[in-house]
Amino acid sequence: MAVFVALGAFLMTLAGGWVAQRVTDRRHLVLGFAGGLMLGVVGLDLLPEALEAAGNEIFGVPAALLLFVGGFLTAHLVERSLAVRQAAHGASEERVPQVGMTAAAAMVGHSLMDGVALGAAFQIGGGMGAAVALAVITHDFADGFNTYTITSLYGNARRKAFLMLFADALAPIVGAASTVLFTLPEQLLGCYIGFFGGALLYLAAAEILPEAHHDHPARSTLLCTVGGVGFIWLVVGIAE
C-alpha cells in the first residue's frame, strides 16, 4: 500500500518540476515562489517534525536545533569551498553548478526519507499511513518545483535538472519499498530532518530569494514568496 501511495508522490514531484520549467519567462516569480515554499517547508513542516522526533537535548539545546544550525553552516561551507575552488581556476564565483547538484541531491535524500516515513506509518496503521500519505503527496509538488529550480539556477543544463527531478520523484518509491527490510529509528529520522532543514533554509535565504529580487525587486515577487509560505501552511493544515 505504501509503495502504491508513493506512486502518487512520484507524479506530484514531476508535476512540480514541469510547472517550474514552464514558467521561465517569469523567472523572478518562480524563484520568489520557490523561496517561499522552501521557507514554509522548513519552518512549518520540517523543524516542528524534527523537534518532536529527535527528542533529547545536548547541553541544554534540542538535538534537532543543533543539527539545524549544523545543516545551515554545512551548506554555507560547501558553497564557499566550491566557489573558491572555481575562482582558483579562473572562473566566476557567481554560480557554481556543483552547488546546485549538491542541493538537488539533498532534496533527493529528503524525498527518500519521505518514502521511509510513509512506509513506517503504514506499518503502524492505516489511519497513520493515510495522514502521512496526504502530507507526502501534497508537499512533493513543492519538492519537485524546488529540485528543478535549484538545479537550473546554478547553471546546470536542463538535462541535469530533469535527471535530478526524476531521481527526486523516484526516491519516495524506493524509500517506501525499503521499509519492508528495515525500520528507521524515530530519533535518527528527526536528527536528519533537522540537519536537512538547516541546509534548505540557507539555500532559500542566501541564494534563492536574493536572486529573485536582484533584477526584479517587484511587489509581485514578494507576493509570490508569501504565497509559497501560505501554500505550505495550507498543506500542513490539511495533513494535520
Side-chain angles (χ1 to χ4, degrees):
M1 183 62 183
V3 175
F4 178 76
V5 171
L7 289 174
F10 174 86
L11 295 175
M12 286 295 286
T13 303
L14 292 181
W18 181 83
V19 169
Q21 65 92 23
R22 290 289 294 179
V23 288
T24 52
D25 57 329
R26 293 289 185 268
R27 184 169 177 269
H28 59 291
L29 300 180
V30 171
L31 293 176
F33 187 66
L37 289 176
M38 293 166 75
L39 177 60
V41 165
V42 172
L44 306 179
D45 184 18
L46 296 183
L47 196 52
E49 185 178 341
L51 286 169
E52 183 179 349
N56 57 328
E57 294 186 353
I58 300 175
F59 203 62
V61 179
L65 288 183
L66 287 175
L67 285 161
F68 176 80
V69 174
F72 189 98
L73 293 175
T74 299
H76 177 58
L77 290 172
V78 167
E79 186 200 28
R80 287 296 86 203
S81 64
L82 290 174
V84 168
R85 186 180 304 172
Q86 189 97 340
H89 289 83
S92 169
E93 288 191 43
E94 288 299 313
R95 283 291 172 259
V96 183
Q98 293 94 325
V99 173
M101 294 298 289
T102 302
M107 295 295 294
V108 173
H110 169 60
S111 293
L112 184 69
M113 291 299 102
D114 276 350
V116 171
L118 184 62
F122 273 102
Q123 288 178 357
I124 295 172
M128 176 66 71
V132 173
L134 178 61
V136 168
I137 290 175
T138 48
H139 99 251
D140 270 6
F141 176 87
D143 283 354
F145 190 99
N146 288 333
T147 299
Y148 184 90
T149 301
I150 291 171
T151 309
S152 58
L153 174 65
Y154 282 86
N156 290 287
R158 288 183 64 186
R159 178 180 60 82
K160 289 186 177 180
F162 278 117
L163 179 63
M164 296 309 295
L165 174 64
F166 184 77
D168 188 51
L170 191 62
I173 299 176
V174 176
S178 71
T179 57
V180 176
L181 305 175
F182 69 92
T183 301
L184 191 67
E186 184 180 10
Q187 284 192 334
L188 182 60
L189 182 59
C191 289
Y192 164 78
I193 291 172
F195 184 85
F196 174 74
L200 202 61
L201 181 63
Y202 175 82
L203 291 170
E207 297 295 330
I208 303 296
L209 291 176
E211 179 69 16
H213 291 276
H214 179 65
D215 294 323
H216 298 273
R219 185 179 302 173
S220 57
T221 307
L222 179 59
L223 289 175
C224 283
T225 302
V226 174
V229 175
F231 174 77
I232 297 300
W233 189 9
L234 178 64
V235 168
V236 171
I238 292 173
E240 290 297 326

